[in-house]
Amino acid sequence: MHVLILGGTTEGRRLAEILYTAGTRVTSSLAGRVASPRMPQGEVRVGGFGGAEGLARWLREHQVDAVIDATHPFAGTISFNAAGAAAEAHVPLLALRRPSWAPVRGDDWHPVASLAEAARTVPALGGRVFLTTGRMGLAAFAHLDGPWFLLRSVDAPEAPCPPRMEVLLDRGPFTLDGERELLRRHRIDVLVTKDSGGSATAPKLKAAREARIPVIVVRRPPVPAGVPQVATPEEAAAWLESYSG
């Protein structure tokens, strides 16, 4: 069996490890947007496929038996391309998505549908913004010249950027003590995040709750209709086993 993992996430790397250890041929595809990605076990390819049609052609040429979409919850384009390609190539497709975050007592969350809506919401909530939505969507905030932004990103951002901004290059997982200190040191009064889920970057939510800082949460896009979904690499491996069996 040859399994293609659309990866780049912790869950994708863990699934590749499980399959590789079990003797399954596994190829992980990385988008190539991070300069020094953490490499999974097994075969690896980097870069796009050329849309749904290009991915379908790749699946046929490399005799792929199943596709696991383990991309970031906000990598919407590749997920829809994968659904189209899998249908065209008649290859089963599974989405591996870590569970969404959920607010608890004491949280002051402001859910929004997009980065543009998040940018419109910022000025009413604070003037010193901890922006943790990544460098790719920074343009949505570039027109805001009033607030000061602390951007945390794995790689350095490119223009356009907000005029008043400091960049912190760092990669999770992050600790609760570290997040508390970061909020205090930079006098943050509003946090902006995507609903990425998982534990690697969740401590910022608890730190914001403790400091009574409002959090603007960008809701994640849905998984394409008709694509089955699981929450853990182990569940994905079990799905593959039942399919192959």
Side-chain angles (χ1 to χ4, degrees), residues 170-190:
D170 203 355
R171 188 199 300 260
F174 302 105
T175 67
L176 178 56
D177 285 343
E179 300 293 62
R180 286 169 174 157
E181 172 59 20
L182 185 148
L183 297 181
R184 184 200 63 78
R185 184 171 70 251
H186 294 282
R187 307 192 312 280
I188 299 299
D189 55 17
V190 60

Side-chain angles (χ1 to χ4, degrees), residues 97-119:
R97 291 288 186 275
R98 66 188 74 150
S100 291
W101 289 321
V104 301
R105 185 175 181 179
D107 281 328
D108 180 14
W109 282 18
H110 300 258
V112 296
S114 65
L115 289 174
E117 187 179 352

